Amino acid sequence: MMTNFTCSIPTRIYFGKGQISHLSELAGYGRKVLLVYGGGSIKKSGLYDQVLSLLGEAGLTVFEQAGVEPNPRIETVRLGAQTCKAEGIDMVLAVGGGSVIDCAKVIAAAACYEGDAWDLVLQPPKIQRALPIFSVLTLAATGSEMDPHAVISDLGKNEKWGTSSEHMKPTMSILDPTYTFSVSKRQTAAGTADIMSHILENYFTNVENADVQARFCEGLLKTCIQYAPVALEKPEDYDARANLMWSSSMAINGLLSGGAAVAWCVHPMEHELSAFYDITHGEGLAILTPFWMDFALSEKTAGKFAQYGVNVWGLEKGADDMDTARRAIQCTRDFFRSLGLPATLREVGIDETHFEIMAEKAAAACANSFVPLGKEDVMAIFNAAR
């Protein structure tokens, strides 16, 4: 039975070409803005200059936090929060992908907190408020532009944790698919795997008869399967980029999980991989997801996997559930491989050296997942994925 839930998605979305003009609205939130971004890609594309021009025309004073890492570091968050406090920053604007937005979210929360920013990662209830958060999205992947979540790393401790707060939902996000035209094939593929993993984590729930959520999930998965190959072949295909971008937002904004929530397990496992090896998040998810499916498949779960095979992959309805389930898992594995994504841990330089500690830490988050996992179960998945 569908469980009780509350749904609130306060983020105002401006979707489509030219919507960046709405950056002028930031003037209604104060005079000083911290611009958060990653490497040099937004400067090469001209987006950086465009953003500065629009903010200047709106009368805003801009401070910058550049160099956000692909797996954003707590050190960068601390620097941004320090600037906010020292300069009396009114709001935070992230221009980039999910890592940049995640970093901006925790900066905005840490700017309103007297203790160390890492406290807010380990203990999300300590996030009592945050500066207004805005984003201009340049990569379809994490869905951070429309959700309350952020993932931050302390690589000195080999730790990567997710935090979450309603206070960290962006006030406004600009989604212009043309800003993703220059995204590389590798990042497009990894982003698609990330989107699909978010959907799959919601889809494989123990809540029965949450059919609206299941049909949402299936439709979004089919959209990713249709458009990811198009985006790889034709990077400037607007329809492909637009559909992937909107799927990214829909995958994790709460519409799929409300009433059918379940603990995620593939993400905690992958967070351990990137905490120790700093690999690309989407690539790690592409590797682990089919092996998790193999492990989770049983007589008890075969029906759900068969449903996935029929409704998403178009497999024959009415065939043996176990056979259909196995074929669906193989379809998943083959699709990720067709995008050029790695299929084993060794392909991204990971061996069994840290499996035990990674499995122990990941298992703490997997106890209430679709198929509950303990340390030995996670170890088995890691070993199968080698």
Side-chain angles (χ1 to χ4, degrees), residues 273 276-277 344-356 358 382-383 385-386:
L273 297 184
F276 278 84
Y277 295 93
T344 64
L345 295 178
R346 71 176 66 91
E347 292 177 55
V348 292
I350 297 177
D351 61 21
E352 67 275 11
T353 303
H354 301 293
F355 277 6
E356 188 165 355
M358 291 194 301
F382 284 157
N383 277 304
R386 279 194 299 172

Side-chain angles (χ1 to χ4, degrees), residues 261-335:
V262 63
W264 291 12
C265 58
V266 180
H267 270 71
M269 287 191 287
E270 198 293 319
H271 286 167
E272 294 307 316
L273 297 184
S274 29
F276 278 84
Y277 295 93
D278 202 21
I279 67 169
T280 299
H281 179 54
E283 291 185 343
L285 292 171
I287 294 167
L288 291 177
T289 296
F291 290 102
W292 168 80
M293 288 179 166
D294 288 336
F295 188 90
L297 179 60
S298 66
E299 291 295 335
K300 182 179 178 180
T301 64
K304 183 67 174 182
F305 279 103
Q307 179 189 78
Y308 165 63
V310 171
N311 293 347
V312 175
W313 294 106
L315 301 180
E316 181 183 357
K317 189 175 182 179
D320 176 73
D321 277 356
M322 186 62 72
D323 179 61
T324 303
R326 291 195 181 102
R327 290 170 61 201
I329 295 170
Q330 189 59 47
C331 285
T332 309
R333 182 174 275 114
D334 290 345
F335 178 71

Side-chain angles (χ1 to χ4, degrees), residues 16-345:
K17 298 177 182 179
Q19 295 281 36
I20 199 167
S21 63
H22 290 281
L23 280 183
S24 62
E25 295 178 16
L26 271 64
Y29 295 83
R31 310 314 308 163
K32 296 181 180 180
V33 56
L34 181 69
L35 174 61
V36 181
Y37 58 97
S41 62
I42 68 167
K43 291 186 176 181
K44 293 177 182 176
S45 69
L47 180 56
Y48 171 83
D49 290 335
Q50 188 178 14
V51 168
L52 287 186
S53 176
L54 288 166
L55 295 177
E57 290 172 7
L60 293 166
T61 301
V62 180
F63 298 80
E64 298 187 20
Q65 177 61 60
V68 175
E69 305 83 359
N71 287 308
R73 315 280 176 85
I74 189 60
E75 293 86 354
T76 308
V77 172
R78 289 178 180 132
L79 287 173
Q82 182 179 359
T83 300
C84 288
K85 292 175 179 178
E87 301 294 344
I89 298 295
D90 298 307
M91 70 203 85
V92 180
L93 169 63
V95 180
S99 296
V100 171
I101 302 173
D102 282 6
C103 188
K105 287 178 175 179
V106 186
I107 287 173
C112 302
Y113 177 69
E114 292 304 316
D116 182 56
W118 191 241
D119 297 345
L120 307 181
V121 178
L122 299 180
Q123 302 174 68
K126 288 191 173 183
I127 303 173
Q128 294 298 307
R129 64 192 187 94
L131 298 177
I133 301 157
F134 303 87
S135 77
V136 178
L137 186 65
T138 63
L139 174 65
T142 70
S144 194
E145 66 277 359
M146 204 178 181
D147 73 23
H149 313 302
V151 180
I152 304 295
S153 299
D154 185 338
L155 295 185
K157 301 175 183 177
N158 295 122
E159 293 188 2
K160 179 177 180 178
W161 300 109
T163 187
S164 185
S165 170
E166 291 296 303
H167 298 291
M168 296 197 306
K169 284 184 175 177
T171 298
M172 178 182 84
S173 290
I174 292 167
L175 278 59
D176 184 338
T178 65
Y179 293 155
T180 65
F181 284 178
S182 61
V183 174
S184 69
K185 286 188 175 183
R186 179 186 177 191
Q187 288 298 329
T188 298
T192 299
D194 199 356
I195 298 167
M196 291 181 67
S197 181
H198 292 163
I199 303 166
L200 291 166
E201 297 267 33
N202 286 312
Y203 185 68
F204 287 99
T205 176
N206 296 310
V207 177
E208 297 182 357
N209 300 317
D211 293 331
V212 172
Q213 295 89 327
R215 300 296 87 77
F216 280 171
C217 288
E218 291 162 358
L220 289 170
L221 287 167
K222 291 173 73 173
T223 298
C224 291
I225 291 164
Q226 176 181 349
Y227 283 109
V230 178
L232 291 181
E233 184 178 346
K234 301 175 181 177
E236 297 189 6
D237 186 299
Y238 185 86
D239 289 332
R241 294 295 191 179
N243 278 280
L244 289 175
M245 181 172 270
W246 197 224
S247 294
S248 167
S249 301
M250 292 294 102
I252 196 172
N253 65 4
L255 288 179
L256 306 187
S257 58
V262 63
W264 291 12
C265 58
V266 180
H267 270 71
M269 287 191 287
E270 198 293 319
H271 286 167
E272 294 307 316
L273 297 184
S274 29
F276 278 84
Y277 295 93
D278 202 21
I279 67 169
T280 299
H281 179 54
E283 291 185 343
L285 292 171
I287 294 167
L288 291 177
T289 296
F291 290 102
W292 168 80
M293 288 179 166
D294 288 336
F295 188 90
L297 179 60
S298 66
E299 291 295 335
K300 182 179 178 180
T301 64
K304 183 67 174 182
F305 279 103
Q307 179 189 78
Y308 165 63
V310 171
N311 293 347
V312 175
W313 294 106
L315 301 180
E316 181 183 357
K317 189 175 182 179
D320 176 73
D321 277 356
M322 186 62 72
D323 179 61
T324 303
R326 291 195 181 102
R327 290 170 61 201
I329 295 170
Q330 189 59 47
C331 285
T332 309
R333 182 174 275 114
D334 290 345
F335 178 71
F336 286 149
R337 190 46 124 178
S338 74
L339 299 183
L341 291 162
T344 64
L345 295 178

